[in-house]
Amino acid sequence: MSVRVLVVDDHPVVRGGVVGWLAAQPDIEVVGEAGDGLAALAAVAEHAPDVVLMDLRMPRMDGVTATGRIVAAHPGVRVLVLTTYDTDADIVRAVEAGATGYLLKDTPLPQLADAVRAAARGETVLAPPVAAKLVSRMRAPGVEAPTARELQVLGGVARGLTNAEIGRELFIGEATVKTHLLRVFTKLGVDDRTRAVLVAVERGLLPGPGSAG
C-alpha cells in the first residue's frame, strides 16, 4: 500500500522538486501540496495523508503552529519537518508541537524518501545535525534547567506583572529581571514571555492556571 504524502512549502520550486521526486517512487503517492500552514490544515482534512512534509517558516501560518493543529485534529497523521533552519529553538518548538521528525533541506532525495517511509511507520526521523543538537541538550540538562530565581521571575510574568513590578516584589532591579528572563528564554528555547510561561507550565516548572498555590 502506498504512503500518502502532503507536501507543504511556500517556495514553488522547492515544493515542485520534492513533489516530483516523491511521486516517482512506486510506493509513495503525493496526494496534495500547500504553500502555507492554513492551506495545509485544509489539505490534510481533504486528502487524509499518512505523512505531511512541513516547511517551518511560511506566510499566514508557520509550520510549528500548523503541526500542532494537525496533530491535535488528526492524531494518525505524521508530520515530518523539512526546513533550512536547525536552531535549537526551532527544533524544540517543532518537536514539542508533535512533529515525528526533523530534516534539513540539504537531505539527499533518496534519504528523504526513506524518511517519509519511516515516518509513516511511526518512527522518529532526525537529520544528523539535529540529532546531535538534541542529544547534547539532553546530556547537559543544567543548560536547560532554569534556576529558582529565574522561575520566580517567570512566575511573576505568569501572574501578569510587569518587569518593574517583579523587580519590586523580589527586591531586584528591572535590568536584573530582564537578564533573568533572557536566560529563561534561552534555556526553554523560546523568544517571548507568553511562550516561556506556556513551555514552563507544560514541563511542570510552573503551576498551571487554576492550580493550587
Side-chain angles (χ1 to χ4, degrees), residues 4 34 55 106 126-127 143:
R4 295 166 56 82
D55 191 15
D106 59 2
L126 297 172
V143 174

Side-chain angles (χ1 to χ4, degrees), residues 37 54-58 61-68 70 79 81 94 97:
M54 180 73 74
D55 191 15
L56 277 190
R57 301 192 184 178
M58 299 178 291
M61 180 186 290
D62 68 13
V64 169
T65 303
T67 295
I70 289 169
V79 179
V81 169

Side-chain angles (χ1 to χ4, degrees), residues 41-52:
L41 296 182
V44 168
E46 180 181 352
H47 299 294
D50 300 308
V51 177
V52 178

Side-chain angles (χ1 to χ4, degrees), residues 132-144:
K133 286 195 174 191
L134 285 177
V135 168
S136 68
R137 285 174 73 94
M138 290 169 66
R139 283 181 178 165
V143 174
E144 281 189 87

Side-chain angles (χ1 to χ4, degrees), residues 102-104 107 125-132:
Y102 197 110
L103 297 177
L104 302 178
T107 300
V125 187
L126 297 172
V130 173

Side-chain angles (χ1 to χ4, degrees), residues 7-16 33-37 53-62 82-85 105:
V7 179
V8 185
D9 197 295
D10 63 332
H11 292 98
V13 174
V14 173
R15 194 169 71 237
E33 49 186 288
D36 60 65
L53 263 183
M54 180 73 74
D55 191 15
L56 277 190
R57 301 192 184 178
M58 299 178 291
R60 297 210 300 165
M61 180 186 290
D62 68 13
L82 181 64
T83 181
T84 52
Y85 303 98
K105 286 183 179 175

Side-chain angles (χ1 to χ4, degrees), residues 137-169:
R137 285 174 73 94
M138 290 169 66
R139 283 181 178 165
V143 174
E144 281 189 87
T147 65
R149 175 61 95 184
E150 288 163 358
L151 288 177
Q152 282 182 315
V153 170
L154 193 56
V157 172
R159 288 184 285 123
L161 302 182
T162 65
N163 288 354
E165 288 168 338
I166 293 169
R168 284 197 294 273
E169 187 176 275

